[in-house]
Amino acid sequence: MEKLTEIFNDYSDSSRDSLIPILQDIQTQEGYLSKESIVEVGSHLNMPSSKIYGVATFYNQFKFQPNGKYHIQVCRGTACHVLGSATVLQELEKQLKIKAGQTTRDQLFSLEIVACIGACGLAPVISVNGEFHANVDAGKLKNILENCKKMEDVE
Amino acid sequence: MDFTININNNDCKASTGDTILEVINRNGLKVPTLCHLKNSMPTGACRMCVVEDVDSGKLITSCSYPASPGLRIKTHSQRVVESRKTIIELLLSNHPDDCLYCVRNKNCELQNLSEEHHVRERRIRGKKNHENMDLSSASIVRDPEKCILCGRCVTVCEDVMGVACIDFLNRGNKTIIGTSFNEGLNTSSCINCGQCIMVCPTGALTEKNHFAEIQQAIEDPKKRVVVQYAPSISVSMAEELGMETGKDINGILNAALRKVGFDNIFDSSFSADLTIIEESAELIGRIQNGETLPMITSCCPGWVKYAEEFYPELIPNLSSCKSPQQMLGAIIKSYFAEKEGLSPEDIYSVSIMPCTAKKFEAQREEMTQAGISDVDAVLTTRELTKFLKLYGVDMFNISPELTDSPMGFRSTAGKLFGASGGVMEAAIRTAYFKITGKELVNFQIPQIRGLQNRKEAHIKIGDFDLGVAVVNGMANAKDLLDEIKNGRNDIHFVEVMACPGGCIGGGGQHIGTSDEELKARMRTLYSIDENETLKVSHKNPEIIELYNEFLKEPLGHKSHELLHTTYNKREVLI
């Protein structure tokens, strides 16, 4: 993989201490950690891929699937929690048939839990590709998802 | 430096470098442990081994805490015992209640600790984690719900075997032990050695069982059910049966297998002799023709898979000989079938091995003739004991019997295969004879005997200086293999056994085998070699007969078809 070589060059000492910064750089560049990148990092740092996967799954920041075309962030901060964001998340998982952290098989939607997106006045709030949707409930979520799908069909 | 520490108001001697646990154990006391693994760095993760520091009042983990002068501890104060009990109760709160159905029932450390600590009720109730079982491997079954996350499998896989196909994944109460990308073991770099099963305190890791198929074959009147057992089996069953450690039960084993209903009983030590004839011919050929050296043994299926994954560049060095299990399997379904007027389909071939990787080996595509497997089912030593119980065999009330002939007679060289260095010693005996035309004066080669990780020797054969190396424990092989890769050329023949001590320490053996028990098994093998007269494979009359009647010559046409194979690079998540 040519792209990773550049990242590795920034950490040429090949020390295990560089593992997390390398993984972060890969995620910034590629959006997620693919099997191929993890194996590649393993051979660069002389580490078994199981260990790298173990480290990467320890932290919430790492993803193992690319984001969908529509990346949905569900706010699980305090205000949203009080106003029912748990149900919002449950509803999204049900409608998209994926769990938080996953991407739908058609690569259209991905779901992520975030701690607080700083829009407590709009709670419960979700963000689709950075665009906020306020006071969401099951009905609204359905509309939002359908709108995204419609835009796809137009294209 | 020597000093004393005070354990339960008694002064006990300790030295710098001792952990508190070591001092306690030397002084007639036992402290329960779970995550502790002998010869590995302590992690202190499970906290079962806590003791009370009298001066600070703290509970400290004795497995990882160094003994220091003047230390005063209590090992079984009420507070300590209560805290241990709480840990057990917490573990049980996330553990299935199916001891009665568990393969480790009556041989489970969690069950024992629970009993020892007088846990009599489910005090702590909570939501249990649910995870699917991993049935993907041909050898090993993983049940994450029974896992207590002690991490011993992770340690042994990385430190002893150098494979590291499993690790802790996720975090907090979602932590599990899994492979890279948490996929099946079959796609990981797992070499099926089964050492993880040997250290697992519960039933989270076990071998894949084939009792039903074997029972069905035994019942089937149209099937000829034959069985072979590995060289190490007869010396390593004693612990499972509750007999004296290291006892050789060869004769009893034959009788027991007949009682179960196996039609023919063969000894894999016979095919170990056969392996030696083929392998020594191959070695001499490689040396004389200047082909790839050093030649590396391929008897150990764990090692073969390791080579296919981690050292594909050394595959040309692997001996093309199949392992004794597969050689005998192939001979049974050809030579024996012919002799008995059977077709290979009518034969159901079972092998009893100290090994879980043999289960994987038996189902390899390379180990078939015209789509029929050389070996149909493999039982581990542990499984054999259970199988004998299933058929009500009373091992204490049975008279010894002989194996069937042909393919039941062996030299002591074949028997030595059970211990690390045995293949090498047997091969040298025959290679010496083939090159010089004379027998060795001293058959025993002490430099390559014993439990050391790595043994090397140079043997004068005529005017040729044969360099040999023997390694056991996969992680120990790595250094040697790297030396070979980097151009070391004074070694001509290498024996690699994945498990510590060789097959006597295999992943299919009695769980909880101690170093002393390993040594006892090894001593028994050596004393068999000492006391019996036929010490070389090439003088085994049944081997000579097999070549005269069927194979004709070593490395001949039939041998190539039946007894030799090739290996390929394997793409897995390393």
Side-chain angles (χ1 to χ4, degrees):
Chain A
M1 242 192 235
E2 289 295 306
K3 282 179 275 176
L4 294 192
T5 324
E6 275 176 40
I7 294 176
F8 292 155
N9 285 341
D10 295 340
Y11 305 93
S12 51
D13 58 344
S14 297
S15 129
R16 286 187 176 204
D17 299 348
S18 321
L19 175 63
I20 290 172
I22 288 179
L23 293 181
Q24 284 168 327
D25 286 5
I26 294 172
Q27 181 150 306
T28 312
Q29 187 175 294
E30 312 203 323
Y32 73 112
L33 301 176
S34 68
K35 236 182 230 181
E36 293 75 20
S37 345
I38 285 198
V39 171
E40 183 97 358
V41 173
S43 59
H44 178 67
L45 296 181
N46 195 19
M47 264 178 99
S49 64
S50 62
K51 288 242 156 323
I52 299 175
Y53 187 66
V55 170
T57 52
F58 185 89
Y59 298 101
N60 275 331
Q61 58 174 301
F62 294 114
K63 292 172 51 71
F64 305 95
Q65 282 181 306
N67 280 348
K69 188 161 180 191
Y70 299 95
H71 183 56
I72 304 174
Q73 293 178 312
V74 183
C75 178
R76 290 285 286 123
T78 315
C80 288
H81 175 76
V82 170
L83 290 170
S85 65
T87 324
V88 170
L89 177 64
Q90 229 174 32
E91 189 60 33
L92 277 170
E93 288 183 336
K94 204 172 102 191
Q95 291 195 20
L96 295 172
K97 299 190 181 68
I98 54 170
K99 293 268 173 217
Q102 293 179 332
T103 304
T104 53
R105 289 175 101 177
D106 57 9
Q107 306 282 314
L108 211 53
F109 296 101
S110 53
L111 199 54
E112 184 190 2
I113 295 172
V114 286
C116 177
I117 50 180
C120 303
L122 309 176
V125 61
I126 67 166
S127 132
V128 181
N129 288 349
E131 188 185 324
F132 286 9
H133 296 264
N135 310 319
V136 285
D137 56 29
K140 273 192 182 175
L141 288 175
K142 209 172 171 202
N143 284 339
I144 295 167
L145 297 181
E146 264 165 21
N147 280 339
C148 296
K149 282 180 194 157
K150 258 184 220 156
M151 297 219 302
E152 271 317 286
D153 292 339
V154 172
E155 278 176 24
Chain B
M1 191 182 80
D2 290 340
F3 50 85
T4 59
I5 67 171
N6 186 288
I7 301 173
N8 302 339
N9 292 326
N10 294 311
D11 284 339
C12 301
K13 275 187 195 142
S15 323
T16 315
D18 283 343
T19 60
I20 299 177
L21 182 68
E22 285 165 339
V23 184
I24 294 171
N25 287 344
R26 277 205 303 267
N27 285 280
L29 279 169
K30 271 188 182 165
V31 161
T33 57
L34 271 177
C35 67
H36 181 67
L37 197 56
K38 218 178 155 190
N39 303 329
S40 286
M41 279 292 282
T43 58
C46 74
R47 307 199 72 79
M48 272 309 294
C49 68
V50 287
V51 292
E52 191 174 345
D53 179 357
V54 177
D55 295 311
S56 70
K58 282 181 180 164
L59 294 180
I60 52 178
T61 49
S62 61
C63 73
S64 60
Y65 205 93
S68 56
L71 189 72
R72 296 194 300 154
I73 55 160
K74 282 186 179 157
T75 60
H76 288 83
S77 64
Q78 194 178 7
R79 185 171 160 231
V80 169
V81 172
E82 278 304 315
S83 102
R84 287 180 196 147
K85 190 172 173 181
T86 306
I87 292 166
I88 297 163
E89 288 175 316
L90 282 165
L91 287 172
L92 289 175
S93 75
N94 190 29
H95 196 86
D97 284 327
D98 62 356
C99 291
L100 283 175
Y101 308 98
C102 182
V103 65
R104 291 291 294 274
N105 190 22
K106 298 195 284 182
N107 183 21
C108 166
E109 289 180 38
L110 185 61
Q111 197 183 47
N112 290 347
L113 286 174
S114 167
E115 203 265 321
E116 281 166 20
H117 286 79
H118 207 72
V119 177
R120 284 290 170 271
E121 59 169 341
R122 177 171 288 279
R123 188 163 64 90
I124 304 165
R125 286 167 197 276
K127 208 174 132 197
K128 293 183 183 183
N129 290 339
H130 292 291
E131 282 284 335
N132 293 334
M133 283 173 86
D134 180 1
L135 300 165
S136 65
S137 158
S139 299
I140 295 168
V141 176
R142 285 182 61 237
D143 184 354
E145 290 190 8
K146 289 183 184 166
C147 175
I148 56 166
L149 300 172
C150 68
R152 277 158 35 174
C153 53
V154 174
T155 309
V156 88
C157 192
E158 184 174 13
D159 294 352
V160 180
M161 305 312 290
V163 173
C165 69
I166 44 173
D167 199 7
F168 289 95
L169 309 181
N170 305 330
R171 177 170 52 165
N173 63 359
K174 291 197 174 67
T175 307
I176 50 164
I177 286 175
T179 60
S180 193
F181 283 84
N182 201 18
E183 290 178 347
L185 270 179
N186 63 337
T187 61
S188 76
S189 55
C190 171
I191 60 168
N192 305 306
C193 67
Q195 288 299 321
C196 53
I197 302 175
M198 297 291 279
V199 297
C200 183
T202 69
L205 286 158
T206 179
E207 63 270 68
K208 193 166 264 185
N209 183 277
H210 302 286
F211 279 10
E213 291 105 285
I214 301 173
Q215 283 173 282
Q216 204 180 348
I218 290 175
E219 294 279 306
D220 189 344
K222 290 195 280 300
K223 287 272 182 201
R224 176 77 74 96
V225 188
V226 302
V227 66
Q228 57 167 308
Y229 52 82
S232 63
I233 300 296
S234 73
V235 301
S236 40
M237 273 186 79
E239 293 87 1
E240 282 281 308
L241 297 167
M243 293 178 180
E244 180 199 342
T245 298
K247 188 175 169 169
D248 181 28
I249 58 154
N250 213 329
I252 302 172
L253 180 59
N254 292 333
L257 292 171
R258 260 188 209 114
K259 285 253 184 299
V260 166
F262 288 106
D263 298 312
N264 294 88
I265 291 144
F266 301 127
D267 190 344
S268 313
S269 309
F270 162 84
S271 52
D273 281 337
L274 180 59
T275 307
I276 287 302
I277 305 293
E278 294 288 329
E279 203 158 17
S280 59
E282 187 186 353
L283 176 68
I284 294 168
R286 282 184 189 229
I287 292 172
Q288 285 171 349
N289 304 330
E291 289 163 27
T292 314
L293 284 173
M295 185 171 92
I296 312 180
T297 58
S298 59
C299 299
C300 171
W303 148 240
V304 169
K305 188 163 186 266
Y306 184 87
E308 290 177 315
E309 293 165 358
F310 293 89
Y311 287 91
E313 60 278 25
L314 290 180
I315 288 176
N317 296 63
L318 280 181
S319 161
S320 66
C321 293
K322 288 184 184 174
S323 70
Q325 163 178 279
Q326 297 306 137
M327 280 204 181
L328 192 50
I331 290 291
I332 286 170
K333 291 198 179 178
S334 56
Y335 173 65
F336 175 74
E338 217 176 284
K339 249 176 133 68
E340 300 279 309
L342 296 164
S343 77
E345 293 90 338
D346 299 334
I347 298 177
Y348 192 83
S349 184
V350 180
S351 73
I352 297 160
M353 294 286 141
C355 178
T356 47
K358 288 282 174 195
K359 288 176 188 270
F360 170 81
E361 186 187 44
Q363 54 89 60
R364 284 180 73 121
E365 213 185 333
E366 296 91 336
M367 305 299 171
T368 55
Q369 295 291 330
I372 298 172
S373 291
D374 294 342
V375 173
D376 295 293
V378 180
L379 291 175
T380 61
T381 320
R382 290 189 293 272
E383 286 177 306
L384 173 63
T385 321
K386 293 201 172 83
F387 200 68
L388 293 176
K389 277 187 188 150
L390 195 62
Y391 278 83
V393 181
D394 179 1
M395 296 293 277
F396 287 92
N397 198 7
I398 199 168
S399 312
E401 290 176 18
L402 292 173
T403 46
D404 283 305
S405 174
M407 302 182 297
F409 199 72
R410 55 148 181 82
S411 74
T412 61
K415 192 72 178 169
L416 283 180
F417 266 56
S420 161
V423 180
M424 181 61 71
E425 197 168 323
I428 290 172
R429 291 178 190 182
T430 292
Y432 188 91
F433 175 77
K434 284 197 180 169
I435 292 172
T436 63
K438 284 180 288 198
E439 296 290 355
L440 274 167
V441 183
N442 277 325
F443 286 116
Q444 282 84 11
I445 306 170
Q447 303 99 295
I448 54 172
R449 289 190 166 195
L451 282 173
Q452 306 92 288
N453 300 336
R454 178 162 160 184
K455 297 162 276 189
E456 289 185 17
H458 282 264
I459 314 281
K460 273 259 177 252
I461 301 184
D463 44 11
F464 184 74
D465 186 38
L466 182 78
V468 299
V470 174
V471 279
N472 65 86
M474 214 57 246
N476 302 315
K478 206 176 176 324
D479 295 335
L480 177 70
L481 297 170
D482 285 337
E483 285 168 29
I484 291 167
K485 245 173 79 175
N486 296 330
R488 186 171 171 193
N489 58 8
D490 64 316
I491 299 287
H492 304 96
F493 192 23
V494 179
E495 177 200 301
V496 181
M497 291 293 161
C499 293
C503 304
I504 47 173
Q509 299 282 36
H510 172 68
I511 286 174
T513 299
S514 65
D515 286 356
E516 284 64 40
E517 284 163 347
L518 262 190
K519 281 180 197 151
R521 291 172 192 171
M522 202 169 226
R523 271 198 307 274
T524 310
L525 287 177
Y526 292 151
S527 74
I528 291 171
D529 182 50
E530 189 73 43
N531 298 330
E532 291 182 22
T533 44
L534 180 61
K535 290 186 173 37
V536 288
S537 305
H538 53 270
K539 288 215 173 130
N540 180 339
E542 291 188 353
I543 290 283
I544 297 169
E545 190 186 323
L546 176 65
Y547 276 99
N548 287 343
E549 280 187 17
F550 186 69
L551 292 171
K552 304 304 174 200
E553 52 168 350
L555 307 180
H557 175 68
K558 275 242 163 66
S559 294
H560 265 291
E561 201 178 298
L562 295 170
L563 309 181
H564 291 260
T565 187
T566 49
Y567 301 104
N568 293 303
K569 182 174 176 6
R570 200 176 275 273
E571 296 291 347
V572 291
L573 288 176
I574 288 176

